[in-house]
Amino acid sequence: MAFNKAHEQKRIAQLEADIVRVRSEIEKVISGDDLESEDPELAKLVLENSKLKHRLSILNKAISAERSNSSGTSSVVDLVSILDHLTDIFSAAIASSFPTLQDVPTVIAVGTNPNPKFGDYQCNSAMAISKMLSTQGEKMSPRDIAAKITQNLSPSPLVERCEVAGAGFINVFLNRAYGINALTTILRNGVRPIAVKKQRVVVDFSSPNVAKEMHVGHLRSTIIGDSICRLMEYLGHDVLRINHIGDWGTQFGMLIAHLEDRFPDYATVSPPISDLQTFYKESKARFDSDEGFKKRAYTKVVLLQSGHQDSVKGWQLICDVSRKEFQKIYDRLGVKLIERGESFYQSRMEALVKELEATGYLEEDNGRKIMWGEQHGEGIPLTIIKSDGGFTYDSSDMAAIKQRLEEDKADWIIYVTDLGQWTHFKSIFSCASRAKIIDYSRHRIDHVGFGVVLGEDGKKFKTRSGDTVKLTELLDEGLNRSMEKLLEKERDKVLTPAELKTAQESVAYGCIKYADLSHNRQNEYVFSFDRMLEDKGNTAIYLLYAYTRIKSIARNCGSDFANDIKKVLETTTVSVDHDKEWKLAKVLLKFPDIIAKITKDMCMHHLCEFVYEVSTTFTEFYDSCYCIEKNKQGEIVTINGGRVLLAEATAQVLGVCFNILGLNPLEKI
């Protein structure tokens, strides 16, 4: 179903008329761009000029979008952010209705009343405008304000109609034609991302320490960071996934000294140190109890930092063992990273210190060299140089942010760490801004903090002996639990051994990831295999089963639906006539708004809530609307093609969401 061309041409003509009118008003107002005056009348004119230019910008944006929708030969349109679109057209209507008001809030909300008569979205700006008018001595009821806004609202292909309700709410009803066309685009071209300015994005996440096993504390950073990277890559950004591992510092002196004692020929014969955790504990015990060993360890640090050949060889051996163990975890979770340890920034730290000293940013403090942020004397200063002349985490993080902005040309840096590091990063960002490394007019810097993982007893997640839970053991336990669940459902009787193994991994790792991502990252969450493997409620296993069922619908309809949806689209239209069909379609149309929201707050639980809403709404649709009707012999009698297309569009949206969340959906489970 194509949009009515006459309607589109009328819409564009109206917008163009609005632009001509606004330009005429601008010409009547003095420019004032190059004037400096305290004349109140002139100030008023300058303000009016600014507001008119803002209205002109809104109108130009609207007409550009309209031409984009109506100029092509295709009868389909992309999914767009409905909230952004409604904000634009209502902002223009408000500016036209109340030109004397400044900074009027345009409040658009998704309708929450299940009764469809209350609309799909609401504009709730009338009450705020009424208060603003009253401060100017003008009385106007919110309901009259809402009516005036509605009268000045330009037609939109997304909007069927608007109605004023209650004390001044404007209920917005979506156009089913837009829904049909947007979903048809999905079926023809896939779920294309919303338009964003493409940027170079650096995501710093996971970041384990060499010679220490990855534990549950690294789980959240790895899962959340990977999902954010997947989202950025989906949007078309140039993403650099950085693993800022701890591969430098005092501990390597003690590890190299212990390596020399245990394996004197390590420089020529590769030592069997696969169990680095035990090796680390042994060296740490000696470091804490043996003063002679401790002094030798410090000497090894100096030799390592000066490039001593055997010390560097030992350091590389230790790092390689750790690197291989880390990679096993990343391979299991499907996570890709580029390693850049603290050692990478060693020379850059030296150059940074010289720059900070030359510009007067460093201060002496009891032998240390410290740096304050933009608010001197407030908070905690960075320690750039220790009293013994060594560098610190502050030094390497300052060097890292400088390197990423200046060498990697990053536009946007995202740090994914626990919330306990927020104060540290706040100081880093403040000092980098003061040193003019960060320019907030060009750069976006986010600290994506998260809470700790708790056990079912509500305490920090640990083993029964009180040790930190190793990530390898956690993943192994997940595999065992998922297989038990699959066998309980007798999936071994319908799946081949290879399919069963694939399902086991998909369920195990998917449940672990989804349990993390479905919680607000800023909160603590309780880790429970029993809960995450439940097949009811907002869990990965429920969603994976739902996706598989949805995908089976087209497959059961025969070759055209299973193999050539585009051919089906030549003769069949997506069905949205039934209330449950339209309800499902409207949920799918919210996808761009969810993505836009996550790009602002970096909270992936919004996407989890969305996929759960899609799945439960699909169940409502499927229970009320037959896609395939069979006779008593199980033979297909009727295929409702429009509904099958709606189901397939649902599967495509879910598939994109699952990819962003790092889940691996299956055709059979």
Side-chain angles (χ1 to χ4, degrees):
M1 182 186 296
F3 288 129
N4 184 286
K5 285 293 178 184
H7 170 84
E8 298 305 320
Q9 291 169 357
K10 181 180 178 183
R11 157 82 171 150
I12 291 174
Q14 182 174 342
L15 287 169
E16 287 176 333
D18 287 341
I19 287 176
V20 170
R21 178 170 51 80
V22 172
R23 279 183 174 151
S24 176
E25 292 179 35
I26 289 176
E27 289 172 1
K28 296 177 184 177
V29 179
I30 189 169
S31 172
D33 287 342
D34 301 318
L35 298 176
E36 294 183 5
S37 172
E38 297 181 0
D39 185 338
E41 287 301 316
L42 179 58
K44 183 178 179 181
L45 288 171
V46 171
L47 175 61
E48 182 69 11
N49 180 59
S50 175
K51 286 158 58 179
L52 287 167
K53 286 182 177 178
H54 176 64
R55 287 168 57 196
L56 182 61
S57 174
I58 292 172
L59 289 167
N60 275 319
K61 185 175 180 181
I63 199 169
S64 175
E66 201 63 42
R67 280 181 169 146
S68 176
N69 276 346
S70 61
S71 61
T73 57
S74 173
S75 63
V76 295
V77 295
D78 278 329
L79 280 171
V80 299
S81 170
I82 296 173
L83 286 173
D84 285 351
H85 177 78
L86 293 179
T87 299
D88 285 343
I89 63 172
F90 273 96
S91 294
I94 291 169
S96 178
S97 302
F98 304 99
T100 62
L101 295 182
Q102 184 182 7
D103 298 326
V104 180
T106 303
V107 183
I108 306 296
V110 179
T112 56
N113 194 308
N115 191 330
K117 76 175 185 178
F118 290 100
D120 306 309
Y121 292 80
Q122 282 185 340
C123 176
N124 300 329
S125 299
M127 293 181 184
I129 293 172
S130 180
K131 291 179 180 178
M132 295 175 75
L133 289 173
S134 67
T135 62
Q136 297 182 355
E138 183 179 349
K139 289 187 178 181
M140 191 172 186
S141 73
R143 190 172 178 88
D144 289 342
I145 291 169
K148 188 172 184 179
I149 293 171
T150 304
Q151 290 169 4
N152 287 312
L153 191 67
S154 298
S156 164
L158 276 65
V159 178
E160 179 187 272
R161 69 185 190 280
C162 293
E163 296 176 353
V164 177
F169 304 107
I170 303 175
N171 291 333
V172 181
F173 297 81
L174 291 183
N175 190 337
R176 296 192 189 215
Y178 163 70
I180 291 170
N181 281 273
L183 296 178
T184 302
T185 296
I186 288 175
L187 293 167
R188 285 185 175 167
N189 304 317
V191 187
R192 297 194 291 201
I194 57 175
V196 297
K197 180 183 178 182
K198 302 302 185 286
Q199 295 181 298
R200 174 75 157 164
V201 183
V202 173
V203 186
D204 180 327
F205 68 108
S206 194
S207 306
N209 289 314
V210 166
K212 295 181 181 179
E213 285 192 276
M214 291 180 71
H215 54 75
V216 72
H218 297 110
L219 184 66
R220 298 208 76 184
S221 178
T222 303
I223 290 173
I224 295 170
D226 178 58
S227 188
I228 289 173
C229 289
R230 288 168 176 268
L231 172 63
M232 296 296 148
E233 288 158 353
Y234 168 69
L235 290 172
H237 294 301
D238 179 13
V239 181
L240 187 58
R241 297 159 161 257
I242 295 295
N243 196 9
H244 186 83
I245 66 170
D247 69 344
W248 205 245
T250 304
Q251 72 271 26
F252 285 95
M254 89 184 174
L255 288 166
I256 293 168
H258 189 54
L259 183 67
E260 284 182 344
D261 293 343
R262 285 280 307 277
F263 307 101
D265 57 351
Y266 74 87
T268 55
V269 180
S270 183
I273 52 171
S274 58
D275 186 359
L276 263 183
Q277 188 78 359
T278 299
F279 188 84
Y280 181 87
K281 288 180 178 179
E282 290 173 355
S283 62
K284 184 66 167 65
R286 294 183 66 189
F287 185 85
D288 292 339
S289 61
D290 186 337
E291 283 298 319
F293 180 82
K294 180 182 287 188
K295 290 179 181 179
R296 192 154 60 92
Y298 281 128
T299 300
K300 295 300 177 184
V301 174
V302 175
L303 289 172
L304 173 63
Q305 293 180 346
S306 64
H308 180 260
Q309 185 175 351
D310 286 350
S311 296
V312 171
K313 173 71 172 178
W315 170 72
Q316 289 175 334
L317 281 171
I318 294 165
C319 288
D320 284 344
V321 174
S322 273
R323 189 174 292 116
K324 291 174 183 176
E325 293 305 309
F326 296 159
Q327 194 57 48
K328 291 177 184 177
I329 298 289
Y330 297 136
D331 288 344
R332 293 176 72 171
L333 292 174
V335 174
K336 296 179 180 178
L337 283 153
I338 295 174
E339 180 186 304
R340 277 195 192 159
E342 292 172 1
S343 59
F344 176 82
Y345 302 99
Q346 180 67 20
S347 61
R348 292 167 175 82
M349 284 188 270
E350 295 168 358
L352 175 69
V353 169
K354 291 179 181 177
E355 288 179 25
L356 295 178
E357 285 183 322
T359 48
Y361 289 124
L362 298 188
E363 300 177 19
E364 291 287 340
D365 180 70
N366 295 323
R368 301 182 302 159
K369 291 185 179 180
I370 63 171
M371 179 178 179
W372 290 98
E374 293 172 301
Q375 301 300 319
H376 192 282
E378 292 186 12
I380 301 173
L382 298 184
T383 298
I384 301 298
I385 299 290
K386 295 188 294 184
S387 57
D388 63 3
F391 295 130
T392 67
Y393 289 126
D394 295 345
S395 320
S396 60
D397 281 337
M398 279 289 285
I401 199 169
K402 180 178 173 64
Q403 186 275 332
R404 291 164 184 177
L405 291 172
E406 297 181 0
E407 295 180 42
D408 289 330
K409 307 297 182 184
D411 304 297
W412 186 357
I413 304 178
I414 302 170
Y415 293 85
V416 186
T417 75
D418 64 90
L419 282 169
Q421 296 189 52
W422 162 236
T423 301
H424 166 71
F425 280 105
K426 184 179 179 182
S427 298
I428 292 290
F429 302 158
S430 182
C431 288
S433 178
R434 182 186 171 209
K436 297 179 176 55
I437 295 170
I438 296 176
D439 177 356
Y440 284 111
S441 68
R442 297 188 298 116
H443 304 135
R444 175 175 171 180
I445 315 292
D446 284 315
H447 176 250
V448 176
F450 53 81
V452 300
V453 182
L454 304 177
E456 293 189 76
D457 58 0
K459 299 178 181 179
K460 197 169 182 180
F461 194 33
K462 293 182 178 292
T463 64
R464 290 182 179 179
S465 62
D467 294 331
T468 303
V469 178
K470 297 178 182 178
L471 206 44
T472 52
E473 294 176 357
L474 187 75
L475 297 181
D476 289 343
E477 178 70 9
L479 287 173
N480 294 334
R481 296 282 193 113
S482 66
M483 181 58 77
E484 290 173 3
K485 193 73 175 181
L486 292 167
L487 295 178
E488 178 187 313
K489 290 184 168 292
E490 299 185 333
R491 306 316 296 163
D492 56 316
K493 296 181 180 179
V494 295
L495 300 176
T496 66
E499 290 171 339
L500 186 65
K501 184 177 185 297
T502 301
Q504 176 193 22
E505 293 176 350
S506 174
V507 170
Y509 303 147
C511 285
I512 291 171
K513 290 180 181 181
Y514 192 81
D516 190 313
L517 296 171
S518 62
H519 291 83
N520 187 322
R521 60 173 171 78
Q522 297 179 358
N523 299 333
E524 301 170 335
Y525 89 95
V526 175
F527 190 97
S528 168
F529 275 121
D530 290 339
R531 193 174 305 162
M532 67 178 64
L533 285 166
E534 289 177 356
D535 54 11
K536 295 180 181 178
N538 190 9
T539 64
I541 195 166
Y542 167 77
L543 296 168
L544 290 169
Y545 278 129
Y547 176 84
T548 303
R549 285 195 298 271
I550 296 169
K551 288 294 291 182
S552 70
I553 294 172
R555 192 166 58 244
N556 291 336
C557 289
S559 59
D560 282 350
F561 283 94
N563 303 318
D564 197 351
I565 284 292
K566 292 182 180 179
K567 183 178 180 181
V568 176
L569 287 169
E570 294 175 2
T571 57
T572 310
T573 302
V574 178
S575 181
V576 295
D577 295 328
H578 192 283
D579 285 347
K580 296 299 183 182
E581 295 171 346
W582 183 222
K583 182 179 179 180
L584 175 58
K586 287 186 291 187
V587 172
L588 298 176
L589 296 178
K590 287 162 56 177
F591 175 69
D593 288 326
I594 301 300
I595 295 301
K597 187 174 186 178
I598 297 171
T599 60
K600 294 181 179 76
D601 64 17
M602 299 284 106
C603 288
M604 302 305 302
H605 71 276
H606 301 312
L607 191 59
C608 297
E609 291 169 356
F610 173 73
V611 294
Y612 182 59
E613 183 183 10
V614 170
S615 299
T616 54
T617 307
F618 180 87
T619 299
E620 287 183 39
F621 151 75
Y622 192 68
D623 289 344
S624 301
C625 304
Y626 288 108
C627 294
I628 304 172
E629 295 186 48
K630 298 180 180 180
N631 60 22
K632 293 181 179 180
Q633 289 73 41
E635 300 167 332
I636 295 177
V637 176
T638 305
I639 294 176
N640 190 316
R643 290 174 178 173
V644 177
L645 290 176
L646 180 57
E648 190 62 17
T650 303
Q652 290 210 30
V653 171
L654 284 176
V656 170
C657 294
F658 286 172
N659 182 63
I660 293 171
L661 295 170
L663 307 185
N664 293 318
L666 304 169
E667 294 287 328
K668 296 173 65 177
I669 190 172

